[in-house]
Structures are given as structure tokens and as C-alpha cells.
Amino acid sequence: MVRYEELSEPLQKEGFAGAIHKVQEKKDDLYGNNTQFLYHFDLATLYHYSGDYKKSTDEFEKAKQVYEDLYTKSVTNEAASLMTNDNVRPYRARPFEVLALYEMNIVNYLAMKDVDGALVESRAADIALQSLYQKDNKKTNDAGYLRYLIALVYEMEGEKDNAAIAYYKTAKAYAEEGQKLPAEAQAFIVNTLQKEGRGDDVKGLNLPNANVPSTLPSAAEDAQGEIVIIGYAGHSAILGEWMLSGTYVRGGVLNVMGKNPQTGRVQSLTIPFPASAIGSHGGTTVSVTIAVPERKDVPYRVDNFEIVLDEKRQMVRPEVYLDNTEHLKKNLDDERATTLGRTAVRVLTRTIAAQQAKKAMETNNVFLNLFTSIGTDVAAGQLEQADLRVAIFLPHVVRVARIPAKPGTHMVKVIATDRNGSAVKSYTYTVNVKTRGKAVVVVPAIR
């Protein structure tokens, strides 16, 4: 929250360059040694939006190295986090942030017209996806949008069979995520699989009827070129703190309740809690307050785009290929039980330790005992903070559109619109399309 409040103002007033400067200026205060992944990740994201794709790639590589190092080195501060809070632990990145790293980095290479670099990153992304499954098999779903980008890269490299496999995995991933497969994506998936003699794979996918005409892929082939619009619309949710208070019955369960920041309603939670976890005795109770992370929506204006090619009247509206807020919600749901368990152990251990400390410090002076008791309770309570660390510059949604275009120079106008369809901002690009090539245009409308 501190990072968002500190950095949102320069982003609004001074744009991406202002936010980049503030991130670098406030590195120690806003990130510190335990949040190095997010420091490099946030910088990389801002450079990506500003069009400095080389610097973005460099920062993503640094974030990647931090992430990999934290899984090869032992954790030495778990005991400290048990007595304080999870913020003292090194931040290891949430699964959707790892996916976003590869997604944006592939686009970096494509925007720089470095297809070979994009291919190397695509293969690294494939390995990362497999690794995520191995680390958290029950919680990490596949990534449809990332699979789709990988398929695009294989297409651009002329690796038709690999493109077909990646397209097949794209459809499977969207189904696994429980997300709607974009109609445009379906058209290209079906076209590619059928051309590569994989008609049985198409039947096995049980794809819904698409609204986009199946002639779109053939139109791109006839035009001998494409313009791929990747639009970042709106601002993804971040994390806020949900405070819950209640009573722990020693040897039984922890019952807590508090106003859910999303619904505004008082919600209660019951957490099974064995007495052996903190060596307590049955029959007595302890009053506690715990803090857990919860989704916090932030304001933004842009929801969609209208695309006009070469000033023609026909408008293209890109579809949603990725929803980062939904990924954050899923991550919170997946981690809820673990987070509540860790927090409960920490708070109860600390609370009971404080009670024992108060007894040990008791004197014959009533007033001194009172001040000691209050001071001990305040100190213990102030230690309780939820871990709200998360990437704060991700878009709410990623929208993609593929527009058939003949080789040559084209004018692309992209109008960012709000939820009511009113224009918010206009972007104009001069795009050069090579024969049988794809030109990638990035539209950063996260504000």
C-alpha cells in the first residue's frame, strides 16, 4: 500500500518516466533487501510501457535471477517471521507474476523485432511453466495467454509444427483456467491445427462456436502480413489488509470475524487449530487479532480499445486474453488456508508469549503492572501486519487483436475507451509490415 500510494501520483502526473525515477529514487525505502524481485519487476514493467524494451528486458532478467536464487538458497529467517510477520521473509513472487514476466519479456523481443530472442524466451517460458507445476502442482494452472504468445513466436519463426502444438496447448490452458477462449484465438488455433493434419486434436478440444469468421486466418495469409495489437487496459487490483478479531479456544479452534473489504459485510472464519501447535492447554481462551491480505481494487479509466487501420471506417475491438485481477483473486483463494494457518500460529504464539512475559514482570506496584501490560499488548499488536507485497503496475486486462495487413507502411490509430465506450485517449502508430511478417504494437493504457 505504501508503494502504491507513493508511486501512483508520479505515474499520474509525470507518466512512466516519472514513476521510473521515483522507483529508483525510493528503492531502499519502498522495496528494501527482501523485495528485490518486485523492485526489478516493477521497473521492467514501467520500461515496457514506456517503449524502452531493452531496459525492460534487462530488468526482467534481474528479476528472474532473484526468483531463481530464492529457490536454490536456504531460508534463514523463517523463525523471525514466526515472531514478527511475513514481511521479513524474502519475496518469492506469486505464480501469475512469474507468468507476466515471461509474457511481457516475449513482447519486448517482438517489439524490438528480435524474433530469435523471443524464441529463446518462449522456450525459457515453457520450462518455467513446467517448473511451476512441479513446485505447486495443485494450485498453478496453465497460462493460455502465454501459450498463445509462444505460438505466435513459433509462427514467426516458421516452425509450423511447434506452432500447432503451442496453439493446442493454448486451448487446453484456457479450459484449465476456466477462462473464455477468445474467438479470434480459436479461429487461428483451428486453422493451424487443420493445416498441420491435426483435425482429431480440434475435435478433442470441444471448442465453442466462435463469433470471429473462420476466414480471418486466410485473410491474413492472403494479405501476406499482420499487425498484432497488444493493449494493456486499466490497472490490476493490488492488496489491502483485512483485519479479523476473535477468540482462540485452547485445544480447539480459532474463531475470527471482520468486515470484508471487498463486500463490506462482516464475515466470520473458523480455523481448526490443534493445541499441540503452541503447547497450550485446553479449556481457556485467548483473544487475538490477525491481519491477512485481501484484494483491493484501484481506480482506472481504460477498459477497451477501438482500432482503425489506415483511416478506414472498419473498427476492430480486441478481445480479453488475460485478466490479472482474476489471477490475483485465484492466487489469494489458493493461498488462503496456508496464509490463515501461518498467521494464526504466529499471532497465537506471540500473544501467549506476551501473556507469559506480563506474568514474569509482575510487581507489587499496580500502576507499573498496568503500564507493563498495556505496553506489552501494544508491542505485540503492532507486529501484526499482513504481507501486501505484489506487483503494482500490471494491467487489469490484456486485449489482443490480429489485423491482416499487406506488406508496407500503415497508420494504426488506437482509441482507448472507458466502460461506457467513451474515448479516453488516442494513440497513433506508424507500422511497417514485412512480407509474411507480423508487426507488434504495444498500447500501454493502464491509467
mmCIF file with all atom_site columns, all heavy atoms in Angstrom, residues 325-339:
data_model
loop_
_atom_site.group_PDB
_atom_site.id
_atom_site.type_symbol
_atom_site.label_atom_id
_atom_site.label_alt_id
_atom_site.label_comp_id
_atom_site.label_asym_id
_atom_site.label_entity_id
_atom_site.label_seq_id
_atom_site.pdbx_PDB_ins_code
_atom_site.Cartn_x
_atom_site.Cartn_y
_atom_site.Cartn_z
_atom_site.occupancy
_atom_site.B_iso_or_equiv
_atom_site.pdbx_formal_charge
_atom_site.auth_seq_id
_atom_site.auth_comp_id
_atom_site.auth_asym_id
_atom_site.auth_atom_id
_atom_site.pdbx_PDB_model_num
ATOM 1   N N   . THR A 1 325 ? -6.451  -9.253  -12.572 1.00 0.00 ? 325 THR A N   1
ATOM 2   C CA  . THR A 1 325 ? -7.193  -9.197  -11.312 1.00 0.00 ? 325 THR A CA  1
ATOM 3   C C   . THR A 1 325 ? -7.775  -10.561 -10.973 1.00 0.00 ? 325 THR A C   1
ATOM 4   O O   . THR A 1 325 ? -7.780  -10.979 -9.808  1.00 0.00 ? 325 THR A O   1
ATOM 5   C CB  . THR A 1 325 ? -8.306  -8.131  -11.389 1.00 0.00 ? 325 THR A CB  1
ATOM 6   O OG1 . THR A 1 325 ? -7.705  -6.832  -11.534 1.00 0.00 ? 325 THR A OG1 1
ATOM 7   C CG2 . THR A 1 325 ? -9.154  -8.134  -10.123 1.00 0.00 ? 325 THR A CG2 1
ATOM 8   N N   . GLU A 1 326 ? -8.246  -11.280 -11.984 1.00 0.00 ? 326 GLU A N   1
ATOM 9   C CA  . GLU A 1 326 ? -8.755  -12.638 -11.746 1.00 0.00 ? 326 GLU A CA  1
ATOM 10  C C   . GLU A 1 326 ? -7.633  -13.557 -11.276 1.00 0.00 ? 326 GLU A C   1
ATOM 11  O O   . GLU A 1 326 ? -7.835  -14.424 -10.417 1.00 0.00 ? 326 GLU A O   1
ATOM 12  C CB  . GLU A 1 326 ? -9.398  -13.192 -13.023 1.00 0.00 ? 326 GLU A CB  1
ATOM 13  C CG  . GLU A 1 326 ? -10.747 -12.590 -13.354 1.00 0.00 ? 326 GLU A CG  1
ATOM 14  C CD  . GLU A 1 326 ? -11.781 -12.872 -12.272 1.00 0.00 ? 326 GLU A CD  1
ATOM 15  O OE1 . GLU A 1 326 ? -11.815 -14.013 -11.743 1.00 0.00 ? 326 GLU A OE1 1
ATOM 16  O OE2 . GLU A 1 326 ? -12.547 -11.946 -11.936 1.00 0.00 ? 326 GLU A OE2 1
ATOM 17  N N   . HIS A 1 327 ? -6.436  -13.371 -11.831 1.00 0.00 ? 327 HIS A N   1
ATOM 18  C CA  . HIS A 1 327 ? -5.292  -14.179 -11.397 1.00 0.00 ? 327 HIS A CA  1
ATOM 19  C C   . HIS A 1 327 ? -4.949  -13.885 -9.944  1.00 0.00 ? 327 HIS A C   1
ATOM 20  O O   . HIS A 1 327 ? -4.589  -14.801 -9.182  1.00 0.00 ? 327 HIS A O   1
ATOM 21  C CB  . HIS A 1 327 ? -4.079  -13.912 -12.295 1.00 0.00 ? 327 HIS A CB  1
ATOM 22  C CG  . HIS A 1 327 ? -4.082  -14.710 -13.564 1.00 0.00 ? 327 HIS A CG  1
ATOM 23  N ND1 . HIS A 1 327 ? -3.778  -16.052 -13.597 1.00 0.00 ? 327 HIS A ND1 1
ATOM 24  C CD2 . HIS A 1 327 ? -4.366  -14.365 -14.844 1.00 0.00 ? 327 HIS A CD2 1
ATOM 25  C CE1 . HIS A 1 327 ? -3.862  -16.505 -14.840 1.00 0.00 ? 327 HIS A CE1 1
ATOM 26  N NE2 . HIS A 1 327 ? -4.225  -15.497 -15.612 1.00 0.00 ? 327 HIS A NE2 1
ATOM 27  N N   . LEU A 1 328 ? -5.023  -12.617 -9.548  1.00 0.00 ? 328 LEU A N   1
ATOM 28  C CA  . LEU A 1 328 ? -4.749  -12.259 -8.156  1.00 0.00 ? 328 LEU A CA  1
ATOM 29  C C   . LEU A 1 328 ? -5.792  -12.875 -7.227  1.00 0.00 ? 328 LEU A C   1
ATOM 30  O O   . LEU A 1 328 ? -5.450  -13.426 -6.166  1.00 0.00 ? 328 LEU A O   1
ATOM 31  C CB  . LEU A 1 328 ? -4.733  -10.735 -8.003  1.00 0.00 ? 328 LEU A CB  1
ATOM 32  C CG  . LEU A 1 328 ? -4.553  -10.210 -6.570  1.00 0.00 ? 328 LEU A CG  1
ATOM 33  C CD1 . LEU A 1 328 ? -3.239  -10.691 -5.973  1.00 0.00 ? 328 LEU A CD1 1
ATOM 34  C CD2 . LEU A 1 328 ? -4.629  -8.682  -6.544  1.00 0.00 ? 328 LEU A CD2 1
ATOM 35  N N   . LYS A 1 329 ? -7.053  -12.798 -7.620  1.00 0.00 ? 329 LYS A N   1
ATOM 36  C CA  . LYS A 1 329 ? -8.119  -13.399 -6.812  1.00 0.00 ? 329 LYS A CA  1
ATOM 37  C C   . LYS A 1 329 ? -7.900  -14.896 -6.653  1.00 0.00 ? 329 LYS A C   1
ATOM 38  O O   . LYS A 1 329 ? -8.051  -15.449 -5.555  1.00 0.00 ? 329 LYS A O   1
ATOM 39  C CB  . LYS A 1 329 ? -9.479  -13.137 -7.475  1.00 0.00 ? 329 LYS A CB  1
ATOM 40  C CG  . LYS A 1 329 ? -9.967  -11.712 -7.370  1.00 0.00 ? 329 LYS A CG  1
ATOM 41  C CD  . LYS A 1 329 ? -11.123 -11.433 -8.305  1.00 0.00 ? 329 LYS A CD  1
ATOM 42  C CE  . LYS A 1 329 ? -12.303 -12.325 -8.058  1.00 0.00 ? 329 LYS A CE  1
ATOM 43  N NZ  . LYS A 1 329 ? -13.425 -12.015 -8.986  1.00 0.00 ? 329 LYS A NZ  1
ATOM 44  N N   . LYS A 1 330 ? -7.534  -15.557 -7.732  1.00 0.00 ? 330 LYS A N   1
ATOM 45  C CA  . LYS A 1 330 ? -7.297  -17.003 -7.669  1.00 0.00 ? 330 LYS A CA  1
ATOM 46  C C   . LYS A 1 330 ? -6.115  -17.327 -6.764  1.00 0.00 ? 330 LYS A C   1
ATOM 47  O O   . LYS A 1 330 ? -6.152  -18.282 -5.982  1.00 0.00 ? 330 LYS A O   1
ATOM 48  C CB  . LYS A 1 330 ? -7.059  -17.567 -9.066  1.00 0.00 ? 330 LYS A CB  1
ATOM 49  C CG  . LYS A 1 330 ? -6.848  -19.081 -9.075  1.00 0.00 ? 330 LYS A CG  1
ATOM 50  C CD  . LYS A 1 330 ? -6.567  -19.604 -10.451 1.00 0.00 ? 330 LYS A CD  1
ATOM 51  C CE  . LYS A 1 330 ? -6.443  -21.117 -10.425 1.00 0.00 ? 330 LYS A CE  1
ATOM 52  N NZ  . LYS A 1 330 ? -5.445  -21.606 -9.446  1.00 0.00 ? 330 LYS A NZ  1
ATOM 53  N N   . ASN A 1 331 ? -5.068  -16.522 -6.868  1.00 0.00 ? 331 ASN A N   1
ATOM 54  C CA  . ASN A 1 331 ? -3.895  -16.747 -6.031  1.00 0.00 ? 331 ASN A CA  1
ATOM 55  C C   . ASN A 1 331 ? -4.246  -16.600 -4.546  1.00 0.00 ? 331 ASN A C   1
ATOM 56  O O   . ASN A 1 331 ? -3.814  -17.399 -3.709  1.00 0.00 ? 331 ASN A O   1
ATOM 57  C CB  . ASN A 1 331 ? -2.790  -15.765 -6.414  1.00 0.00 ? 331 ASN A CB  1
ATOM 58  C CG  . ASN A 1 331 ? -1.546  -15.901 -5.553  1.00 0.00 ? 331 ASN A CG  1
ATOM 59  O OD1 . ASN A 1 331 ? -1.207  -14.989 -4.808  1.00 0.00 ? 331 ASN A OD1 1
ATOM 60  N ND2 . ASN A 1 331 ? -0.869  -17.039 -5.640  1.00 0.00 ? 331 ASN A ND2 1
ATOM 61  N N   . LEU A 1 332 ? -5.045  -15.596 -4.209  1.00 0.00 ? 332 LEU A N   1
ATOM 62  C CA  . LEU A 1 332 ? -5.473  -15.409 -2.817  1.00 0.00 ? 332 LEU A CA  1
ATOM 63  C C   . LEU A 1 332 ? -6.306  -16.589 -2.334  1.00 0.00 ? 332 LEU A C   1
ATOM 64  O O   . LEU A 1 332 ? -6.140  -17.062 -1.205  1.00 0.00 ? 332 LEU A O   1
ATOM 65  C CB  . LEU A 1 332 ? -6.272  -14.109 -2.684  1.00 0.00 ? 332 LEU A CB  1
ATOM 66  C CG  . LEU A 1 332 ? -5.473  -12.806 -2.768  1.00 0.00 ? 332 LEU A CG  1
ATOM 67  C CD1 . LEU A 1 332 ? -6.415  -11.613 -2.773  1.00 0.00 ? 332 LEU A CD1 1
ATOM 68  C CD2 . LEU A 1 332 ? -4.476  -12.691 -1.627  1.00 0.00 ? 332 LEU A CD2 1
ATOM 69  N N   . ASP A 1 333 ? -7.204  -17.068 -3.191  1.00 0.00 ? 333 ASP A N   1
ATOM 70  C CA  . ASP A 1 333 ? -8.025  -18.225 -2.823  1.00 0.00 ? 333 ASP A CA  1
ATOM 71  C C   . ASP A 1 333 ? -7.161  -19.464 -2.611  1.00 0.00 ? 333 ASP A C   1
ATOM 72  O O   . ASP A 1 333 ? -7.368  -20.227 -1.660  1.00 0.00 ? 333 ASP A O   1
ATOM 73  C CB  . ASP A 1 333 ? -9.079  -18.498 -3.905  1.00 0.00 ? 333 ASP A CB  1
ATOM 74  C CG  . ASP A 1 333 ? -10.162 -17.431 -3.958  1.00 0.00 ? 333 ASP A CG  1
ATOM 75  O OD1 . ASP A 1 333 ? -10.311 -16.693 -2.961  1.00 0.00 ? 333 ASP A OD1 1
ATOM 76  O OD2 . ASP A 1 333 ? -10.849 -17.327 -4.996  1.00 0.00 ? 333 ASP A OD2 1
ATOM 77  N N   . ASP A 1 334 ? -6.197  -19.655 -3.512  1.00 0.00 ? 334 ASP A N   1
ATOM 78  C CA  . ASP A 1 334 ? -5.312  -20.822 -3.401  1.00 0.00 ? 334 ASP A CA  1
ATOM 79  C C   . ASP A 1 334 ? -4.483  -20.783 -2.120  1.00 0.00 ? 334 ASP A C   1
ATOM 80  O O   . ASP A 1 334 ? -4.220  -21.823 -1.507  1.00 0.00 ? 334 ASP A O   1
ATOM 81  C CB  . ASP A 1 334 ? -4.368  -20.892 -4.606  1.00 0.00 ? 334 ASP A CB  1
ATOM 82  C CG  . ASP A 1 334 ? -5.069  -21.316 -5.888  1.00 0.00 ? 334 ASP A CG  1
ATOM 83  O OD1 . ASP A 1 334 ? -6.187  -21.835 -5.791  1.00 0.00 ? 334 ASP A OD1 1
ATOM 84  O OD2 . ASP A 1 334 ? -4.487  -21.114 -6.968  1.00 0.00 ? 334 ASP A OD2 1
ATOM 85  N N   . GLU A 1 335 ? -4.065  -19.571 -1.739  1.00 0.00 ? 335 GLU A N   1
ATOM 86  C CA  . GLU A 1 335 ? -3.162  -19.435 -0.602  1.00 0.00 ? 335 GLU A CA  1
ATOM 87  C C   . GLU A 1 335 ? -3.892  -19.170 0.712   1.00 0.00 ? 335 GLU A C   1
ATOM 88  O O   . GLU A 1 335 ? -3.249  -19.081 1.764   1.00 0.00 ? 335 GLU A O   1
ATOM 89  C CB  . GLU A 1 335 ? -2.183  -18.282 -0.866  1.00 0.00 ? 335 GLU A CB  1
ATOM 90  C CG  . GLU A 1 335 ? -1.281  -18.480 -2.071  1.00 0.00 ? 335 GLU A CG  1
ATOM 91  C CD  . GLU A 1 335 ? -0.302  -19.620 -1.870  1.00 0.00 ? 335 GLU A CD  1
ATOM 92  O OE1 . GLU A 1 335 ? 0.043   -19.894 -0.711  1.00 0.00 ? 335 GLU A OE1 1
ATOM 93  O OE2 . GLU A 1 335 ? 0.098   -20.244 -2.873  1.00 0.00 ? 335 GLU A OE2 1
ATOM 94  N N   . ARG A 1 336 ? -5.221  -19.044 0.675   1.00 0.00 ? 336 ARG A N   1
ATOM 95  C CA  . ARG A 1 336 ? -5.962  -18.609 1.856   1.00 0.00 ? 336 ARG A CA  1
ATOM 96  C C   . ARG A 1 336 ? -5.717  -19.511 3.066   1.00 0.00 ? 336 ARG A C   1
ATOM 97  O O   . ARG A 1 336 ? -5.409  -19.032 4.163   1.00 0.00 ? 336 ARG A O   1
ATOM 98  C CB  . ARG A 1 336 ? -7.457  -18.564 1.543   1.00 0.00 ? 336 ARG A CB  1
ATOM 99  C CG  . ARG A 1 336 ? -8.328  -18.074 2.706   1.00 0.00 ? 336 ARG A CG  1
ATOM 100 C CD  . ARG A 1 336 ? -8.174  -16.592 2.918   1.00 0.00 ? 336 ARG A CD  1
ATOM 101 N NE  . ARG A 1 336 ? -8.843  -15.854 1.868   1.00 0.00 ? 336 ARG A NE  1
ATOM 102 C CZ  . ARG A 1 336 ? -8.578  -14.587 1.556   1.00 0.00 ? 336 ARG A CZ  1
ATOM 103 N NH1 . ARG A 1 336 ? -7.638  -13.947 2.217   1.00 0.00 ? 336 ARG A NH1 1
ATOM 104 N NH2 . ARG A 1 336 ? -9.224  -13.965 0.592   1.00 0.00 ? 336 ARG A NH2 1
ATOM 105 N N   . ALA A 1 337 ? -5.853  -20.806 2.882   1.00 0.00 ? 337 ALA A N   1
ATOM 106 C CA  . ALA A 1 337 ? -5.709  -21.722 4.011   1.00 0.00 ? 337 ALA A CA  1
ATOM 107 C C   . ALA A 1 337 ? -4.299  -21.660 4.598   1.00 0.00 ? 337 ALA A C   1
ATOM 108 O O   . ALA A 1 337 ? -4.116  -21.612 5.818   1.00 0.00 ? 337 ALA A O   1
ATOM 109 C CB  . ALA A 1 337 ? -6.040  -23.146 3.583   1.00 0.00 ? 337 ALA A CB  1
ATOM 110 N N   . THR A 1 338 ? -3.293  -21.645 3.714   1.00 0.00 ? 338 THR A N   1
ATOM 111 C CA  . THR A 1 338 ? -1.909  -21.584 4.182   1.00 0.00 ? 338 THR A CA  1
ATOM 112 C C   . THR A 1 338 ? -1.628  -20.273 4.907   1.00 0.00 ? 338 THR A C   1
ATOM 113 O O   . THR A 1 338 ? -0.991  -20.256 5.968   1.00 0.00 ? 338 THR A O   1
ATOM 114 C CB  . THR A 1 338 ? -0.939  -21.726 2.994   1.00 0.00 ? 338 THR A CB  1
ATOM 115 O OG1 . THR A 1 338 ? -1.186  -22.967 2.338   1.00 0.00 ? 338 THR A OG1 1
ATOM 116 C CG2 . THR A 1 338 ? 0.511   -21.680 3.462   1.00 0.00 ? 338 THR A CG2 1
ATOM 117 N N   . THR A 1 339 ? -2.118  -19.163 4.329   1.00 0.00 ? 339 THR A N   1
ATOM 118 C CA  . THR A 1 339 ? -1.896  -17.852 4.939   1.00 0.00 ? 339 THR A CA  1
ATOM 119 C C   . THR A 1 339 ? -2.556  -17.765 6.309   1.00 0.00 ? 339 THR A C   1
ATOM 120 O O   . THR A 1 339 ? -1.952  -17.288 7.281   1.00 0.00 ? 339 THR A O   1
ATOM 121 C CB  . THR A 1 339 ? -2.446  -16.737 4.026   1.00 0.00 ? 339 THR A CB  1
ATOM 122 O OG1 . THR A 1 339 ? -1.791  -16.801 2.762   1.00 0.00 ? 339 THR A OG1 1
ATOM 123 C CG2 . THR A 1 339 ? -2.206  -15.361 4.643   1.00 0.00 ? 339 THR A CG2 1
#
